[in-house]
């Protein structure tokens, strides 16, 4: 699937193929978004995962749905009744509802992203065996995890062991990462080389879901309130794009018939944008917009230009 073939040098004293033209490849690996540690005031707002911390500190900016807090959702009469019923089913001696002031609900800046699978396509335009211009597009589906806490202040003295309840808090997000850069190789021998790459990125983010869980039952935080006790769960359609840069270091194995295989480690410094990018009266972005370090470890199979002939010969 290449516009030009890899022609190997006949002279054994020379290293590497005569690579010219365009080659295509497939990326597959893991992607780890930035997860910060809390600073002196126990917050780390530079961590994008905290967009989903349940406090609704940011504005979603989506015309089809809104971002709500765990507190507002839990204090609703219908939701409160559901939560109390779930807790009573597992032995919590809670008779009163969840009422503002009487039952504090805490959300923390402790959200972190889980490591995600990464998939993508790659195109490299070689103008010499060592040098090429590279274009990649990758996709990762992310999940942020954290906790919230409910404090029951009006429990009987004999029930103080159940004073706090901690539950799971989750966010789901998609990232589309486009990058263009310059690649150079340092040949080790005829069948392997070190490779280095540097360039720019455009990271598209899409907020999908945000919800908290009580004993296995999810309660959506991105939703439309269509009436008393009636919630229409939504998936957001909002997407943003931020620019950044990246570097890659890898090792490539060169094969005459099966294509080339690369093992790459990528470090990028990207602007991550979540939610509304409008500014408030204090000139601060209503959503999230920060530069972050992100990491990826992946392999790339560079499809051999003569794959058609190779497949036919195998049969």
């Amino acid at each position: 699937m290449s516009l030009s073939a890899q022609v190997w040098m006949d002279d054994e004293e020379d290293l590497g193929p005569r690579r010219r033209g365009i080659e295509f490849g497939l990326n597959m690996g893991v992607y780890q978004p930035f997860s910060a540690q809390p600073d002196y005031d126990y917050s780390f707002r530079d961590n994008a995962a905290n967009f989903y911390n349940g406090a609704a500190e940011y504005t979603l900016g989506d015309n089809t749905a809104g971002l709500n807090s765990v507190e507002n959702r839990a204090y609703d009469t219908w939701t409160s009744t559901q939560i109390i019923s779930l807790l009573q089913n597992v032995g919590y001696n809670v008779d009163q509802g969840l009422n503002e002031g009487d039952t504090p609900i805490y959300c923390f800046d402790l959200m972190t992203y889980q490591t995600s699978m990464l998939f993508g396509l790659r195109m490299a335009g070689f103008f010499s065996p060592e040098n090429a211009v590279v274009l990649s597009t990758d996709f990762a589906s992310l999940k942020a995890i954290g906790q919230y806490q409910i404090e029951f202040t009006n429990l009987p003295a004999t029930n103080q062991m159940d004073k706090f309840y901690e539950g799971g808090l989750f966010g789901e997000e998609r990232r589309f990462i486009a990058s263009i850069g310059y690649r150079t190789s340092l040949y080790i021998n005829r069948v392997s080389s070190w490779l280095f790459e540097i360039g720019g990125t455009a990271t598209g983010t899409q907020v999908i879901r945000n919800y908290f869980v009580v004993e296995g039952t999810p309660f959506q935080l991105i939703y439309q309130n269509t009436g008393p006790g009636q919630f229409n769960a939504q998936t957001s359609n909002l997407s943003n794009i931020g620019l950044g840069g990246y570097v890659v270091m890898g090792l490539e194995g060169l094969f005459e018939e099966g294509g080339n295989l690369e093992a790459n480690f990528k470090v990028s410094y990207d602007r991550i944008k979540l939610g509304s990018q409008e500014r408030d009266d204090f000139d601060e972005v209503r959503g999230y917009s920060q530069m972050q370090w992100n990491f990826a470890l992946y392999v790339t199979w560079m499809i051999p230009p003569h794959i058609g002939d190779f497949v036919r010969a195998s049969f």
Side-chain angles (χ1 to χ4, degrees):
M1 297 177 64
S2 173
L3 299 184
S4 65
Q6 290 184 12
V7 180
W8 290 81
M9 294 182 176
D10 296 328
D11 189 346
E12 293 183 356
E13 295 181 357
D14 293 323
L15 298 177
R18 298 183 187 275
R19 301 177 80 170
R20 295 289 192 278
I22 298 176
E23 298 179 15
F24 296 91
L26 303 174
N27 298 330
M28 183 175 68
V30 293
Y31 179 74
Q32 178 57 62
F34 175 85
S35 292
Q37 297 298 318
D39 56 25
Y40 65 92
D41 65 351
Y42 207 66
S43 67
F44 45 173
R45 292 180 62 84
D46 55 343
N47 184 357
N50 285 328
F51 182 87
Y52 307 99
N53 69 359
E57 297 174 334
Y58 301 100
T59 301
L60 184 62
D62 193 324
N63 293 328
T64 63
L67 180 62
N68 296 268
S69 67
V70 173
E71 187 176 55
N72 288 342
R73 182 72 193 270
Y75 288 157
D76 180 89
T77 303
W78 177 251
T79 303
S80 175
T81 301
Q82 288 181 293
I83 293 176
I84 294 300
S85 176
L86 289 167
L87 295 180
Q88 288 174 339
N89 287 340
V90 293
Y92 274 79
N93 184 17
V94 181
D95 296 325
Q96 84 282 4
L98 301 179
N99 301 310
E100 187 173 2
D102 294 334
T103 314
I105 297 176
Y106 306 100
C107 297
F108 311 102
D109 286 342
L110 299 174
M111 300 290 291
T112 58
Y113 284 112
Q114 292 182 314
T115 301
S116 170
M117 293 297 296
L118 177 143
F119 303 94
L121 301 174
R122 183 177 179 88
M123 182 176 68
F126 284 88
F127 49 90
S128 74
E130 297 85 8
N131 303 300
V133 175
V134 180
L135 174 65
S136 297
T137 56
D138 298 302
F139 167 80
S141 182
L142 306 182
K143 191 167 191 176
I145 59 174
Q147 285 186 327
Y148 68 95
Q149 186 181 82
I150 302 175
E151 180 182 4
F152 302 104
T153 59
N154 296 322
L155 294 179
T158 58
N159 193 32
Q160 292 304 301
M161 291 298 293
D162 290 338
K163 183 176 181 180
F164 294 97
Y165 175 81
E166 292 185 350
L169 186 61
F170 303 91
E172 296 180 12
E173 172 188 329
R174 295 193 186 110
R175 289 191 186 179
F176 303 88
I177 308 160
S179 59
I180 183 170
Y182 168 77
R183 165 193 151 142
T184 187
S185 302
L186 178 63
Y187 283 95
I188 303 172
N189 50 43
R190 287 180 60 89
V191 295
S192 63
S193 69
W194 294 105
L195 62 89
F196 306 91
E197 189 177 326
I198 186 170
T201 62
T203 302
T205 57
Q206 185 179 26
V207 176
I208 304 299
R209 294 182 182 88
N210 192 193
Y211 58 95
F212 66 101
V213 175
V214 181
E215 295 302 317
T217 299
F219 294 87
Q220 302 293 333
L221 296 177
I222 297 178
Y223 68 95
Q224 290 179 330
N225 190 341
T226 57
Q230 300 178 21
F231 300 98
N232 182 17
Q234 295 288 313
T235 57
S236 174
N237 297 314
L238 181 70
S239 60
N240 292 294
I241 296 178
L243 303 179
Y246 76 97
V247 293
V248 169
M249 185 174 72
L251 180 65
E252 182 177 28
L254 303 153
F255 307 100
E256 188 170 2
E257 291 186 342
N260 303 335
L261 192 66
E262 303 175 3
N264 298 308
F265 177 66
K266 180 179 181 180
V267 179
S268 60
Y269 191 53
D270 311 303
R271 179 167 292 280
I272 303 301
K273 296 181 177 181
L274 300 170
S276 173
Q277 296 303 297
E278 296 181 355
R279 294 185 176 272
D280 58 20
D281 295 337
F282 301 97
D283 200 33
E284 294 182 353
V285 175
R286 295 179 181 272
Y288 179 90
S289 179
Q290 297 283 346
M291 298 296 294
Q292 286 193 346
W293 293 100
N294 300 294
F295 309 92
L297 182 64
Y298 58 96
V299 294
T300 301
W301 176 48
M302 297 301 293
I303 301 171
H306 48 278
I307 188 172
D309 297 335
F310 176 71
V311 171
R312 285 192 293 271
S314 300
F315 291 93

